[in-house]
Amino acid sequence: MQLCLSYTITDIADVEFYDKSTQMRYVVRCFTRYVDDILAAFESSEKAHEFLAFLNSLHGNIKFTIEEEVMGRMPFLDILLIRENDHMSTTVYRKTTHSGVYAHFTSFVPFALKLQLIRTLLHRAYEICSSYELLHAEFERIKLMMMNNGYNRDYIYSVVNRFLTRKASENRPFEGPKPKEICIRLPFLKDSTYKLEKCINSCLSQIKCGALRVKVFYTYSRVSDRLRFKDRSSIINNAIYYLECSQCEANYVGETTRNIQDRMKEHADPKTDSVVAKHILENPGHTFNTDSPKILAFEHKTFKRRTKEALSIQKINPKLNIQEKSYKLFLFDVPRMVN
């Protein structure tokens, strides 16, 4: 389930399955679904397997599997369902392969992301755990994991206290004007970035801008951006190129989004409608530098590439160019009025 489209296709297929399943009469005490994960409760294990066999008979290419509760416990997504007599409780579920390794406190990561990591784990526990005892136990596990990743115990406790205080005040009505948010993007350089962010907030507080809140987003550079492990491809595309005849003053400027060698083969083929190929056909013995064309510029975006092509045509004024499909520019060649 890596693509966004897969969720839609799964929903369509599942809805069709469920419409067909209504034709059969099955007593389902509980039924919920998230994409292709289904949680259902039946009167007995035999009824569950009977319903599974019916679903698998609807389509030959899709096969459902079943997982039953063990000792009153059943994982569903990241939720662990615990059944005790007639009572159902929930807590956070982690696989047995979970290592508890997160971003270390000393790692070269913005401090805001380290803080948000703890808040995210606390928020998940707060939303999933169904009782105070389970929530307290989950908070203790989070504290232990964070301490194993180099986080200070007192700092973790302060984050937990601020988190619970914020949750307690969420239902209170907001008083006063809503602060306006301004987003700023800064390169992450650790201490230098923190000093600059502090300086920005200090300047805003001194000029008294009113209800104003600054949100800083960081840009990062990875090691892979500096070290290229793959060989660079010899394919040249998205280029503006220049061709000139070896026997006369004929020349040509063009652009292509494809491989430059494929475009050069078209220029050399007399069967194409290329003006370069037409010039070679009409003038035997004339050749162009199609084996090694001169590259004037590179541009991935179509509009900018064609604009650069038009600017090159404007500057070079090639003999063979008939500018029909590109953008005609008159910015640097405006006819002057003569009195």
Side-chain angles (χ1 to χ4, degrees):
M1 292 299 168
Q2 298 294 330
L3 300 177
C4 296
L5 184 60
S6 62
Y7 294 100
T8 304
I9 297 176
T10 303
D11 284 339
I12 295 174
D14 288 348
V15 168
E16 182 180 356
F17 284 171
Y18 303 147
D19 290 341
K20 292 182 180 179
S21 65
T22 55
Q23 302 172 5
M24 305 292 291
R25 295 184 178 179
Y26 293 97
V27 179
V28 183
R29 295 185 176 182
C30 172
F31 187 91
T32 184
R33 178 180 68 90
Y34 179 78
V35 192
D36 57 345
D37 292 319
I38 302 172
L39 175 65
F42 295 86
E43 294 180 351
S44 62
S45 177
E46 291 76 13
K47 293 291 184 180
H49 284 274
E50 183 181 351
F51 184 72
L52 174 67
F54 169 72
L55 289 179
N56 290 334
S57 66
L58 297 177
H59 198 283
N61 295 332
I62 299 179
K63 295 296 180 182
F64 288 90
T65 58
I66 191 171
E67 182 179 357
E68 300 182 27
E69 67 174 272
V70 178
M71 299 180 65
R73 292 171 176 260
M74 165 69 72
F76 179 67
L77 302 177
D78 57 348
I79 304 174
L80 179 63
L81 303 173
I82 304 174
R83 183 170 64 88
E84 297 177 351
N85 299 326
D86 295 333
H87 178 70
M88 181 72 71
S89 57
T90 57
T91 186
V92 176
Y93 170 72
R94 294 182 180 88
K95 294 183 178 180
T96 56
T97 56
H98 178 71
S99 62
V101 177
Y102 294 98
H104 199 272
F105 188 77
T106 59
S107 61
F108 193 78
V109 177
F111 186 79
L113 295 185
K114 300 173 185 176
L115 173 61
Q116 193 60 35
L117 168 62
I118 304 177
R119 288 178 177 174
T120 300
L121 296 175
L122 295 176
H123 176 75
R124 182 177 68 165
Y126 186 85
E127 294 294 330
I128 292 179
C129 295
S130 58
S131 65
Y132 174 79
E133 291 76 12
L134 294 173
L135 179 63
H136 177 73
E138 180 60 24
F139 276 11
E140 291 298 324
R141 282 191 288 268
I142 294 174
K143 294 173 188 176
L144 180 60
M145 287 189 298
M146 292 296 99
M147 291 175 61
N148 291 336
N149 285 275
Y151 290 77
N152 183 272
R153 181 177 181 179
D154 294 336
Y155 174 71
I156 298 173
Y157 274 104
S158 66
V159 175
V160 173
N161 291 334
R162 292 198 302 269
F163 174 81
L164 294 175
T165 302
R166 178 179 299 180
K167 288 295 182 181
S169 61
E170 282 183 350
N171 297 327
R172 298 177 183 176
F174 181 79
E175 298 180 359
K178 185 177 180 180
K180 182 179 180 181
E181 294 183 350
I182 297 179
C183 299
I184 301 177
R185 179 181 295 179
L186 296 176
F188 180 68
L189 303 173
K190 205 169 183 180
D191 294 338
S192 300
T193 305
Y194 295 149
K195 291 180 181 179
L196 180 57
E197 182 180 356
K198 185 177 180 180
C199 181
I200 292 174
N201 291 324
S202 176
C203 293
L204 291 176
S205 62
Q206 291 178 10
I207 61 178
K208 298 180 180 180
C209 296
L212 189 63
R213 180 185 301 171
V214 177
K215 281 190 174 182
V216 179
F217 296 91
Y218 304 107
T219 57
Y220 313 93
S221 60
R222 299 173 295 180
V223 177
S224 59
D225 297 335
R226 305 296 181 183
L227 302 175
R228 298 186 180 273
F229 299 99
K230 294 183 178 180
D231 296 334
R232 292 186 177 182
S233 175
S234 59
I235 297 176
I236 300 176
N237 51 15
N238 296 311
I240 298 95
Y241 57 89
Y242 172 74
L243 299 175
E244 58 182 354
C245 182
S246 60
Q247 303 296 327
C248 64
E249 297 181 354
N251 50 1
Y252 179 81
V253 173
E255 62 86 19
T256 181
T257 185
R258 299 177 295 141
N259 184 359
I260 191 71
Q261 296 301 328
D262 294 338
R263 183 57 177 153
M264 293 302 105
K265 291 178 182 179
E266 294 177 355
H267 283 311
D269 188 359
K271 296 181 181 180
T272 62
D273 57 352
S274 169
V275 292
V276 175
K278 184 178 180 181
H279 179 82
I280 296 175
L281 185 63
E282 295 177 351
N283 301 275
H286 287 222
T287 59
F288 285 79
N289 56 326
T290 54
D291 294 334
S292 57
K294 182 179 180 181
I295 305 300
L296 301 179
F298 292 96
E299 181 56 56
H300 290 273
K301 295 184 179 181
T302 303
F303 178 80
K304 290 184 177 181
R305 186 175 63 253
R306 292 181 178 176
T307 302
K308 289 182 179 180
E309 179 201 17
L311 289 172
S312 300
I313 293 173
Q314 190 91 4
K315 179 180 179 180
I316 300 174
N317 192 21
K319 306 296 183 181
L320 299 181
N321 275 88
I322 302 175
Q323 197 172 358
E324 294 178 350
K325 296 182 180 180
S326 296
Y327 300 98
K328 294 185 177 182
L329 301 181
F330 300 100
L331 182 60
F332 306 106
D333 191 17
V334 179
R336 297 183 178 179
M337 299 296 296
V338 180
N339 295 329

